[in-house]
Amino acid sequence: MMKFHFAGAVSLVACLSAAGVCAQTLPEHIAKSGVVRGALDVPYVPMEYRDPDSGELVGFDVDLAKAIADILGVKIEYQEGAFETLTPALQSKRVDMIMSGFYDRPARREYFDFINYLAAGGQLFTLQGSDLKEPADLCGKTVSTIRSTSYPETIKGFSDENCVKAGKEPISISEDSDVPQMLINLKSGRSDAAMQGLESIPTYMAQEPDTYRPLGKPLGSALMGIAFNKDDTVLRDAFVYALRKTIDDGTYAKLIDKYKLNLSAYTDVTINGEPAK
């Protein structure tokens, strides 16, 4: 495994890019400390959650971040918080990055650069015994989702287009604070369906067999990204280099299989949806 070797304040590594060979650096403060501070919201299976037996932080994001950090010769130190606190933590530079099931959305690109590493999208799901057949059957019914995500907007857009325009009752959106409450609402009948990221549904189904089933195809498509402040291009580019290494050496594919994310695999390595140099 290739690592960055610290020499003074900045560490260098040769990297390959579309343009050829380049010299890659780590920011001075990270080269000195050997630490990258990351923000994440727990739990969000299978991306980041605590192992029920050991209590250790695990998940696809956690494992992939560790693999990247190992290549760069640094450690990841996490600051946990509610999803809505992640953005201000990065903007205020209390952390160096967000890697927490964070969607690369146009509005967020005004402040951050995203290294894209997973395909994503809002997936509706319901209970196994539900008589719902397709998303359009939700007109006039209630869908639970997480308040601080883009999913309420996604559901409303679907409702406006497929329910309201057709003269049907709109979908009622129940905005919950977290995933456990969302699932309680669904299982208790307070909602008829729920929406979460495509990446999460296989884990829910594995954890509670014969309980949930997807409802139709994902609504819209998106890319998940590791977010950096726009002025932190040095650290961003170091992560691009290391992410490519995890793809090339097979680590990324092993983690995709481990966390049942085959439908979400994304190996293009783009920045803000554009090819990384």
Side-chain angles (χ1 to χ4, degrees), residues 124 132-141 158 162-163 168-169 171 215 219:
L124 290 163
L132 296 169
K133 304 298 183 186
E134 58 185 29
D137 293 338
L138 288 167
C139 297
K141 298 187 182 298
F158 177 85
N162 295 275
C163 301
K168 301 177 182 179
E169 289 295 315
I171 296 172
L215 186 61
L219 300 186

Side-chain angles (χ1 to χ4, degrees), residues 5-12 31:
H5 298 284
F6 298 131
V10 180
S11 86
L12 306 173

Side-chain angles (χ1 to χ4, degrees), residues 5-208:
H5 298 284
F6 298 131
V10 180
S11 86
L12 306 173
V13 68
C15 69
L16 295 178
S17 71
V21 178
C22 64
Q24 192 66 63
T25 65
L26 281 173
E28 184 175 355
H29 71 283
I30 291 175
K32 286 181 176 179
S33 68
V35 171
V36 174
R37 301 164 300 166
L40 82 173
D41 175 26
V42 177
Y44 182 37
V45 294
M47 308 308 293
E48 40 269 331
Y49 58 100
R50 293 204 173 273
D51 182 276
D53 296 322
S54 68
E56 291 184 4
L57 196 60
V58 295
F60 181 82
D61 281 340
V62 176
D63 285 0
L64 183 59
K66 184 181 185 306
I68 289 172
D70 286 347
I71 290 168
L72 300 180
V74 297
K75 294 182 179 180
I76 306 290
E77 288 187 357
Y78 288 108
Q79 295 183 20
E80 297 181 32
F83 193 83
E84 58 267 24
T85 68
L86 303 185
T87 294
L90 183 55
Q91 287 177 311
S92 64
K93 301 191 176 183
R94 295 195 302 274
V95 297
D96 304 301
M97 66 160 191
I98 299 171
M99 190 173 179
S100 184
F102 203 49
Y103 278 24
D104 175 2
R105 302 178 64 198
R108 290 172 176 163
R109 291 179 188 172
E110 181 179 350
Y111 308 101
F112 307 131
D113 281 342
F114 290 84
I115 302 174
N116 308 123
Y117 67 103
L118 277 181
Q123 177 65 57
L124 290 163
F125 64 104
T126 188
L127 298 177
Q128 282 281 7
S130 170
D131 59 1
L132 296 169
K133 304 298 183 186
E134 58 185 29
D137 293 338
L138 288 167
C139 297
K141 298 187 182 298
T142 299
V143 175
S144 292
T145 194
I146 307 303
R147 180 182 304 115
S148 56
T149 68
S150 61
Y151 302 135
E153 181 182 339
T154 298
I155 297 167
K156 184 179 185 304
F158 177 85
S159 176
D160 289 346
E161 186 66 28
N162 295 275
C163 301
V164 177
K165 282 189 177 180
K168 301 177 182 179
E169 289 295 315
I171 296 172
S172 177
I173 304 170
S174 173
E175 297 188 22
D176 300 318
S177 59
D178 52 37
V179 170
Q181 185 60 55
M182 178 188 71
L183 297 179
I184 288 171
N185 285 343
L186 178 58
K187 288 188 284 189
S188 67
R190 288 196 288 270
S191 62
D192 301 284
M195 175 175 278
Q196 188 54 282
L198 170 66
E199 64 280 356
S200 294
I201 309 307
T203 301
Y204 297 160
M205 294 173 67
Q207 288 179 339
E208 297 187 74

